[in-house]
């Protein structure tokens, strides 16, 4: 794997870690237009998604140091799926309010 690809994977990992940390930090207080402190289910959902994103970001960083390309591609797909799921969840809760 070339160094350019590794740098892009590290940038992806940083974005996923930042997003996971932000969601984890704001699971009990309001952010943007959401109020998870008023809705226990939404707070629990943010806790789960934040921890999954943090775990996924850490695993992606670890996998970027391995030579197995299939593991790296799998983690990239998992990262993309988790961020997409989080986006749809937030859109869903925005319309429910």
């Amino acid at each position: 794997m070339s160094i350019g690809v590794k740098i892009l994977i590290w940038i992806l990992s940083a974005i996923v870690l930042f997003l996971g940390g932000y969601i984890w930090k704001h699971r009990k207080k309001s952010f943007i237009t959401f109020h998870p402190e008023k809705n226990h289910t939404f707070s629990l959902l943010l806790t789960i998604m934040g921890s999954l994103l943090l775990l996924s970001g850490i695993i992606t960083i670890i996998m970027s140091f391995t030579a197995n390309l299939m593991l790296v591609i799998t983690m990239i797909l998992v990262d993309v799926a988790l961020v997409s799921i989080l986006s749809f969840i937030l859109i869903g809760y925005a319309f429910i309010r």
Side-chain angles (χ1 to χ4, degrees):
M1 207 171 7
S2 70
I3 191 70
V5 173
K6 284 188 179 186
I7 290 172
L8 289 173
I9 292 171
W10 293 335
I11 291 171
L12 171 69
S13 299
I15 291 169
V16 171
L17 284 171
F18 174 77
L19 184 60
Y22 183 82
I23 295 297
W24 178 263
K25 191 169 114 177
H26 287 86
R27 69 188 189 280
K28 298 288 183 188
K29 58 184 177 179
S30 62
F31 68 101
I32 308 173
T33 62
F34 303 105
H35 298 281
E37 70 277 3
K38 296 178 183 174
N39 188 346
H40 177 69
T41 306
F42 187 55
S43 175
L44 180 65
L45 195 62
L46 289 180
T47 302
I48 292 169
M49 287 304 294
S51 60
L52 284 175
L53 285 168
L54 286 171
L55 182 67
S56 177
I58 292 169
I59 293 173
T60 303
I61 289 175
I62 293 169
M63 288 299 137
S64 71
F65 293 110
T66 65
N68 193 345
L69 187 61
M70 287 306 294
L71 289 175
V72 174
I73 292 172
T74 302
M75 283 312 301
I76 290 172
L77 291 176
V78 168
D79 290 341
V80 168
L82 285 174
V83 171
S84 298
I85 290 169
L86 177 66
S87 300
F88 287 126
I89 288 170
L90 292 177
I91 289 172
Y93 269 97
F95 285 123
I96 289 174
R97 297 185 311 120

